[in-house]
Amino acid sequence: MAELNVIISPVLLVRRLRAGEVAAFTEIFDAYAERLLVYAVNVLHDRETCEDLVQDILLWLWVNREKLDPDLALEPYLFRAMRNEVIDHIRRGKVKERVFDQIEKRIWMEPVTENQVYQRELQDKLKQAIYDLPEKMQQVYLLSREEHLSHKEIAEILSISTKTVENQLATAMKKIRASLGNFLPLVLLFLGGK
């Protein structure tokens, strides 16, 4: 008799999980943890943080297993949860903090020259201009300029249209330019020297 390859349906897996089967949780972990991690890392570019987010989602799944719909579409549910965790992480400002931490480290590690004093002053002005942006505009700007995400990726993360992303970026750039005012020639000099 030929050996049959049995593929366990996600619905059966959820039902086994609801019943408290550790083996079902292990199968879910093995099937989805790495895929969820890759998804999150592609957005946040921070593997350690993304590993924590994946663990949070899977732990939540185990703790709340009895409340799950027995007919739950597991894969879309997990990826939607991962997307929401990434968005929440961005909204909590963790991305901004990491970007500005990197700037500060670079600033304090370099020896100070007159040109670097101007650069620091310019960076402080730029940082303030970014912080002065409305929250959603600030998120769009940082995801675009610091995380290097496409307009489409930003739109998906923030649940807005790509046109809104474009408009928010254009407005952010105008506001930043206006905030920098007299420092604009220094910006060009600073960027030209890199």
Side-chain angles (χ1 to χ4, degrees):
M1 183 175 229
E3 188 177 323
L4 295 174
N5 287 334
V6 178
I7 299 175
I8 298 175
S9 78
V11 172
L12 181 57
L13 202 53
V14 169
R15 290 179 182 171
R16 288 176 46 216
L17 179 69
R18 282 177 45 105
E21 283 188 40
V22 175
F25 178 76
T26 302
E27 289 176 45
I28 291 169
F29 185 90
D30 292 344
Y32 294 103
E34 186 64 28
R35 292 172 55 203
L36 292 170
L37 179 63
V38 167
Y39 173 82
V41 168
N42 281 334
V43 177
L44 296 177
H45 307 290
D46 181 351
R47 186 174 182 87
E48 187 176 322
T49 296
C50 293
E51 286 171 351
D52 290 342
L53 296 177
V54 170
Q55 287 178 2
D56 290 347
I57 289 170
L58 293 173
L59 177 63
W60 185 95
L61 189 70
W62 175 254
V63 169
N64 295 282
R65 65 189 176 277
E66 294 172 354
K67 299 174 188 172
L68 295 175
D69 178 350
D71 298 318
L72 175 71
L74 186 60
E75 185 169 328
Y77 179 82
L78 289 173
F79 278 92
R80 194 174 328 108
M82 186 77 256
R83 176 182 169 270
N84 291 340
E85 282 293 316
V86 166
I87 290 169
D88 288 347
H89 181 77
I90 292 168
R91 285 184 179 148
R92 287 189 302 262
K94 300 300 182 189
V95 172
K96 287 187 286 191
E97 289 174 18
R98 191 179 79 234
V99 168
F100 289 121
D101 285 348
Q102 290 171 354
I103 290 171
E104 281 186 341
K105 283 179 189 172
R106 210 175 72 208
I107 289 171
W108 290 111
M109 291 175 68
E110 297 174 355
V112 178
T113 65
E114 185 178 348
N115 189 34
Q116 288 169 332
V117 170
Y118 291 126
Q119 288 177 3
R120 284 187 189 160
E121 192 172 345
L122 174 61
Q123 287 172 335
D124 288 343
K125 286 282 191 188
L126 179 58
K127 188 188 304 187
Q128 186 60 49
I130 294 168
Y131 274 126
D132 288 344
L133 294 173
E135 184 180 349
K136 183 70 82 173
M137 189 177 294
Q138 195 179 97
Q139 291 171 347
V140 169
Y141 177 84
L142 290 170
L143 288 171
S144 173
R145 298 302 189 249
E146 303 298 336
E147 297 299 319
H148 308 291
L149 298 180
S150 70
H151 292 181
K152 183 179 178 185
E153 290 170 322
I154 296 168
E156 287 175 11
I157 289 171
L158 298 178
S159 300
I160 57 178
S161 71
T162 53
K163 189 67 176 167
T164 301
V165 171
E166 293 169 10
N167 290 339
Q168 291 282 308
L169 276 175
T171 304
M173 293 306 295
K174 286 178 188 172
K175 289 182 177 229
I176 290 171
R177 277 189 220 111
S179 293
L180 292 178
N182 295 334
F183 284 88
L184 207 47
L186 283 176
V187 171
L188 298 174
L189 178 67
F190 178 64
L191 293 176
K194 286 193 169 192

